[in-house]
Amino acid sequence: MIPNIITLQKQFKAKDKDIILTSFPKSGTTWLKSLLFSILNRNQQSYDHHPLLTTNPHHLVPTLEFTIYANHKIHDLSTMRSPRLLATHIPYASLPDSIKHCPESKIVYVSRNPLDVIVSMWYFGKDHPDRNLQSNYTIEDCVDEFCRGEFVFGPYWDHVFGYWKASLERAEKVLFLKYEEMKEDTFGQAKRVAEFIHRADHWAGWSSYKAFLPVQCHNRVSFTGLPFSQEEESDGVVEQILEMCSLSKLKDLDVNKHGQVRPNVENKIYFRKGQVGDWMNHLTPSMVERVSMVTKEKLSGSGLSFKMD
Ligand code: A3P
């Protein structure tokens, strides 16, 4: 993964209106990809012919380091239609500078409580070909790796905290979502996403930031889209999108039961239970205590916490 990330860092240039979906793995990336894609393109397709019916969300919204930068050629993404919707699991600190500094690109981050991330990752690992070889990979191993920070894309707490801090410092640039809140109020969170990615006056405090930005970013501060209109809300557009992106709908589609996201990684392993609190069925009290203690220590004073029941 490291060579892919280095290529990405060297080559990727953020462009007008880019929307970059970021997440720690197993935090709800697939769901957010579906939602963002459907919200952005809501005027362009009928629901009978929606692209999600025939295409896996990871193919509609590529994860840069898994696909585009997985080989080390020169990639020119400048001809992709705007707004480009792209994803990455890279921590905030390692994002290419152009994503962080150009005001025209937005970041939408989805986080999830660490206990459910561990369980989700353990199942994913069991079904993943690289892990499959280690048939004795237990949930204890997974908890241990997680607590030691030896996890894909780095320590979980640094990941969530990096984006959390960025969202506090630059609320117009980085939207921080929680899987648990999306489950509890999917309608409200989808509206929040739509307002965020389309907001026209997104650059509050613009003049104070301007001096720190590359010249090419100056004077490019207006977004053209709109949040859900009253009419869309009363016509049930939001509900249609939520239904299309629901776990039950996506999991049941032929395209997601078969096929592969990338070589040896099957589409179906991205859709499991989607429950908040499934950790209760898998983790022992001592595992929970260990994860909770590290979480408390690492996130103390940050203002960030996760609902864990
Ligand atoms: P579980 O393993 O707890 O079921 P990611 O997409 O970041 O890899 O995260 C995968 C997790 O999101 C899995 O959680 C999966 O079931 C859940 N998921 C996938 N699609 C979803 C959807 N449309 N709605 C809610 N959860 C979804």
Side-chain angles (χ1 to χ4, degrees):
M1 200 54 55
I2 301 282
N4 301 3
I5 291 171
I6 292 171
T7 312
L8 191 172
Q9 287 170 326
K10 283 189 184 154
Q11 292 189 16
F12 185 78
K13 294 279 172 288
K15 191 180 151 192
D16 290 358
K17 300 180 189 171
D18 278 354
I19 296 161
I20 314 290
L21 187 170
T22 53
S23 60
F24 192 78
K26 312 327 293 170
S27 299
T29 320
T30 315
W31 190 14
L32 186 57
K33 281 186 177 185
S34 315
L35 284 169
L36 273 168
F37 179 89
S38 304
I39 291 170
L40 261 179
N41 296 295
R42 65 187 188 264
N43 297 323
Q44 286 171 35
Q45 63 248 323
S46 81
Y47 283 84
D48 298 340
H49 298 99
H50 196 286
L52 277 171
L53 294 171
T54 50
T55 315
N56 178 275
H58 294 282
H59 292 147
L60 291 175
V61 184
T63 299
L64 292 166
E65 62 275 15
F66 286 150
T67 52
I68 293 167
Y69 295 104
N71 60 53
H72 308 297
K73 297 180 188 147
I74 302 286
H75 296 277
D76 179 13
L77 305 185
S78 62
T79 51
M80 264 178 93
R81 195 168 59 90
S82 273
R84 300 184 304 183
L85 179 53
L86 300 161
T88 180
H89 289 308
I90 300 180
Y92 184 78
S94 308
L95 285 178
D97 281 348
S98 73
I99 296 182
K100 287 193 241 180
H101 297 309
C102 187
E104 285 284 337
S105 75
K106 296 233 170 192
I107 297 171
V108 185
Y109 184 76
V110 61
S111 64
R112 190 179 191 187
N113 80 73
L115 299 170
D116 282 333
V117 168
I118 291 173
V119 171
S120 186
M121 184 59 103
W122 182 63
Y123 274 102
F124 188 80
K126 275 181 3 130
D127 295 335
H128 194 285
D130 296 348
R131 283 284 191 201
N132 240 334
L133 300 170
Q134 307 170 21
S135 52
N136 55 350
Y137 181 63
T138 64
I139 199 143
E140 284 91 344
D141 296 332
C142 192
V143 170
D144 189 52
E145 285 178 1
F146 188 88
C147 288
R148 285 188 288 116
E150 290 179 11
F151 228 60
V152 65
F153 294 99
Y156 163 89
W157 304 276
D158 294 352
H159 208 284
V160 290
F161 180 69
Y163 284 98
W164 171 249
K165 186 165 173 282
S167 76
L168 295 181
E169 290 170 356
R170 305 174 68 192
E172 65 296 322
K173 167 92 177 168
V174 184
L175 179 68
F176 191 96
L177 300 170
K178 291 181 179 171
Y179 185 87
E180 295 73 29
E181 291 176 356
M182 288 168 66
K183 289 287 287 190
E184 198 168 304
D185 177 18
T186 317
F187 190 94
Q189 294 298 311
K191 280 180 63 177
R192 212 178 141 211
V193 169
E195 276 160 28
F196 178 78
I197 57 175
H198 289 301
R199 198 163 52 186
D201 61 342
H202 68 288
W203 199 253
W206 159 248
S207 54
S208 57
Y209 286 102
K210 195 171 173 180
F212 300 103
L213 294 166
V215 171
Q216 65 268 29
C217 294
H218 293 187
N219 304 324
R220 291 209 252 124
V221 290
S222 65
F223 267 41
T224 50
L226 290 167
F228 290 113
S229 63
Q230 282 294 334
E231 199 184 356
E232 282 181 311
E233 281 197 35
S234 47
D235 285 353
V237 171
V238 190
E239 283 89 350
Q240 267 177 328
I241 289 175
L242 302 190
E243 161 62 18
M244 177 59 66
C245 300
S246 67
L247 179 58
S248 53
K249 173 89 183 177
L250 294 177
K251 192 174 177 172
D252 216 31
L253 293 170
D254 266 356
V255 64
N256 295 326
K257 286 185 187 164
H258 311 287
Q260 297 184 336
V261 166
R262 52 186 186 279
N264 294 327
V265 182
E266 297 192 10
N267 288 347
K268 65 178 181 211
I269 65 173
Y270 287 87
F271 307 92
R272 199 181 64 90
K273 247 183 176 177
Q275 259 179 19
V276 176
D278 192 34
W279 59 267
M280 288 180 213
N281 303 315
H282 297 86
L283 303 182
T284 63
S286 67
M287 291 177 197
V288 173
E289 195 186 335
R290 185 173 174 198
V291 177
S292 302
M293 271 175 60
V294 191
T295 305
K296 217 168 154 186
E297 182 197 316
K298 295 278 185 186
L299 298 183
S300 94
S302 68
L304 175 60
S305 60
F306 291 96
K307 190 166 178 253
M308 302 234 220
D309 49 22

